[in-house]
Amino acid sequence: MLNTEPEANTMTDQTWKRLADFVFELGMLRKTPRTGYQFLGSGAENVAEHSFRTAMIGYMLARKAGADVARTVFLCLFHDVHEARIGDFNYVNRIYNTSNPVLAITHALEGTGLREEALGLWHELEAGVTLESRLAQDADQLDFIANLKEEQDLGNPYASKWLDHAVLRLKTDPALELARAIQTTDQSDWWFVRPDESWWRKGNGKPRP
């Protein structure tokens, strides 16, 4: 690993090389499973999938809360980047295992010019003092809540128990409102329920004679 950190706007061949390294490292998140679903018995996702919808939910919450939208989204995008190196520890794993996310982020971003900003985002998120950090934490939970609702609708009897506990972790009013909407919306409504049911009769998209 490199021992120096260039300025964010100082670009050398080595800086671009380290950024390329980080791009490949981010790709590991597509191959890193979220492990809690082992205990639920159904459902699956990788960390990259989780981070994408978390960021989108963060965008929605920040708009509704009048918060800094970009900062909230950045917090969401970086919240699990360290798991490319240390993996995802579920609640049972954490009883027996420890990790060092700050060290993982430090090593991942060494020499890229991004380390200082990324570590600042990490510490802000963990502190949970700013409105944006609380919204990002809630977005993280809401992605999980949406997955649990999907599994509940598909027949997993344990998902509703998990949902009750997950909702209690939410901190902000917009997140609680969205959680209520998620809990009362069938996961298939967005495509199955349409104002005009004639589309069902069209089959492959062409009107039937």
Side-chain angles (χ1 to χ4, degrees):
M1 294 292 179
L2 301 176
N3 295 318
T4 59
E5 180 69 6
E7 295 293 332
N9 59 353
T10 300
M11 301 305 298
T12 65
D13 288 346
Q14 184 60 29
T15 304
W16 285 114
K17 169 63 170 63
R18 289 294 298 124
L19 287 171
D21 289 339
F22 186 53
V23 169
F24 287 117
E25 182 166 343
L26 290 173
M28 286 297 294
L29 296 175
R30 297 175 180 166
K31 305 170 187 177
T32 305
R34 299 254 291 166
T35 60
Y37 297 100
Q38 297 169 359
F39 298 99
L40 184 62
S42 66
E45 69 176 344
N46 61 50
V47 177
E49 292 166 341
H50 164 66
S51 296
F52 170 75
R53 190 162 67 172
T54 295
M56 293 296 289
I57 294 171
Y59 166 79
M60 300 174 204
L61 296 180
R63 288 288 304 273
K64 296 302 181 184
D68 185 323
V69 175
R71 188 160 194 86
T72 304
V73 172
F74 290 157
L75 289 164
C76 292
L77 286 173
F78 275 92
H79 85 285
D80 276 345
V81 162
H82 58 281
E83 292 186 357
R85 292 184 176 236
I86 65 178
D88 174 63
F89 286 174
N90 59 58
Y91 293 109
V92 175
N93 296 156
R94 291 174 190 174
I95 299 172
Y96 309 101
N97 296 278
T98 59
S99 62
N100 191 333
V102 172
L103 184 61
I105 295 170
T106 299
H107 286 172
L109 291 171
E110 220 164 19
T112 64
L114 306 176
R115 184 177 63 188
E116 183 177 349
E117 181 177 14
L119 283 173
L121 291 168
W122 167 258
H123 289 302
E124 178 180 347
L125 182 65
E126 287 296 292
V129 174
T130 65
L131 174 58
E132 289 76 15
S133 65
R134 293 194 299 274
L135 293 170
Q137 290 173 353
D138 281 352
D140 183 16
Q141 289 300 315
L142 282 165
D143 173 65
F144 184 47
I145 287 168
N147 280 342
L148 290 174
K149 181 57 166 64
E150 291 171 14
E151 296 308 313
Q152 180 186 57
D153 288 351
L154 293 171
N156 187 322
Y158 296 100
S160 60
K161 298 178 182 179
W162 286 37
L163 266 170
D164 292 340
H165 292 289
V167 171
L168 292 176
R169 301 183 192 127
L170 298 174
K171 301 177 177 67
T172 64
D173 289 339
L176 287 166
E177 291 292 339
L178 183 52
R180 278 191 282 270
I182 289 171
Q183 288 178 287
T184 56
T185 301
D186 189 283
Q187 58 93 25
S188 68
D189 280 356
W190 70 271
W191 68 272
F192 192 82
V193 178
R194 297 284 296 272
D196 179 7
E197 293 186 358
S198 66
W199 76 287
W200 283 102
R201 298 190 295 271
K202 293 177 182 179
N204 61 3
K206 297 178 182 179
R208 296 191 183 279

